[in-house]
Amino acid sequence: MVTSVLLILLLLLNLISEGWNHVGQPCNKIFRLCLTSNSYCDKENICRCKPDYPVNVSLHSCRKGKLYSEKCDYTEECSYYDPNSYCSQLPYRSICECHTGFIFNEVTKICESVGKDTPKSSNLVFPTAIGGSLALASILFFCLVAWQVCKRQNARSRNFRRDTSSRSRYQSTYLESQGAVPSAPTADETLPTYDTALSLKISEDCEPPPSYEEVIGQAQLSKT
């Protein structure tokens, strides 16, 4: 009886342990379990990594992929997205970095050879075209405003010259209708001295003496 029980237990243990394996190996036939973390048993009864943990770093672990400069534990995590990167695995800095001779490209987001030309991003073409168009439109607008201002200034200048010319012709016509306009003495004419001008002024202020007839008439008037 005891021997039969032991044989049954050994058979069960053998069935449980059989196929209870790692990624790529058959699953357990009874419980369909896998020993690897983040793994599952597929329809073919094979242990696989879960879709969210596609990187099989070893028979015992499935992990997520890592991008450049992200923290990592295994190089397989970095090389899953970029084969030219690795995990530095340093005590103070364990991140994904580029291999020697490669540099990270900000446009393509991968490690590329140092001698390779960096491709131009097509995303910059549209913003650059918009900026150039706005700058050109601004320049044309300011040129148009300046042209309008200059045009108005020229029109005002022409109107002012036209008004000034008309006023000058009107004044000349008026003065000609009033008679000859006395002109100021030129530099060639000799001006009188101060004494001469004073004597002329005195002679203009004094009245001339009465004539003989005026004196006789006044005498006769006084006798009567």
Side-chain angles (χ1 to χ4, degrees):
M1 182 69 180
V2 177
T3 306
S4 300
V5 172
L6 291 175
L7 290 174
I8 293 173
L9 291 175
L10 289 174
L11 181 61
L12 290 174
L13 290 175
N14 185 40
L15 292 174
I16 293 173
S17 61
E18 183 181 358
W20 199 345
N21 295 317
H22 308 289
V23 175
Q25 297 178 352
C27 307
N28 178 266
K29 294 181 179 180
I30 298 177
F31 301 101
R32 292 178 58 82
L33 297 177
C34 298
L35 292 177
T36 304
S37 60
N38 300 318
S39 62
Y40 73 101
C41 188
D42 63 4
K43 296 179 179 180
E44 298 177 357
N45 202 36
I46 301 297
C47 291
R48 305 291 183 186
C49 290
K50 293 181 180 180
D52 294 338
Y53 299 85
V55 182
N56 182 20
V57 296
S58 66
L59 295 177
H60 307 282
S61 178
C62 292
R63 291 177 174 265
K64 293 183 178 181
K66 301 293 183 178
L67 298 174
Y68 178 80
S69 74
E70 291 184 348
K71 292 182 179 181
C72 59
D73 294 320
Y74 301 93
T75 297
E76 289 82 359
E77 296 175 304
C78 303
S79 61
Y80 178 78
Y81 290 113
D82 187 359
N84 297 321
S85 63
Y86 71 102
C87 186
S88 57
Q89 294 181 343
L90 298 177
Y92 60 92
R93 187 184 63 181
S94 182
I95 61 174
C96 293
E97 297 182 351
C98 295
H99 285 293
T100 304
F102 293 84
I103 188 171
F104 184 71
N105 191 321
E106 294 291 343
V107 179
T108 59
K109 302 300 181 182
I110 60 174
C111 296
E112 295 183 353
S113 177
V114 176
K116 185 178 180 180
D117 295 335
T118 303
K120 297 182 179 179
S121 176
S122 58
N123 296 330
L124 299 177
V125 175
F126 186 67
T128 303
I130 293 179
S133 300
L134 292 177
L136 181 59
S138 300
I139 294 174
L140 293 177
F141 174 76
F142 285 115
C143 291
L144 180 60
V145 171
W147 178 74
Q148 290 292 340
V149 172
C150 294
K151 184 178 179 180
R152 291 180 181 178
Q153 291 293 337
N154 293 333
R156 290 178 181 176
S157 300
R158 288 194 297 269
N159 293 334
F160 177 76
R161 289 195 296 270
R162 189 182 301 109
D163 294 341
T164 304
S165 178
S166 301
R167 193 178 298 109
S168 300
R169 287 196 299 269
Y170 174 76
Q171 291 178 354
S172 300
T173 305
Y174 176 77
L175 293 176
E176 289 177 359
S177 62
Q178 295 295 325
V181 180
S183 59
T186 61
D188 296 335
E189 296 179 357
T190 303
L191 298 176
T193 62
Y194 176 75
D195 295 335
T196 304
L198 183 61
S199 62
L200 292 174
K201 178 65 176 174
I202 294 174
S203 62
E204 290 177 357
D205 294 339
C206 296
E207 296 181 357
S211 61
Y212 176 76
E213 289 79 4
E214 291 177 352
V215 173
I216 297 298
Q218 290 178 1
Q220 291 178 354
L221 292 174
S222 62
K223 288 180 180 180
T224 59

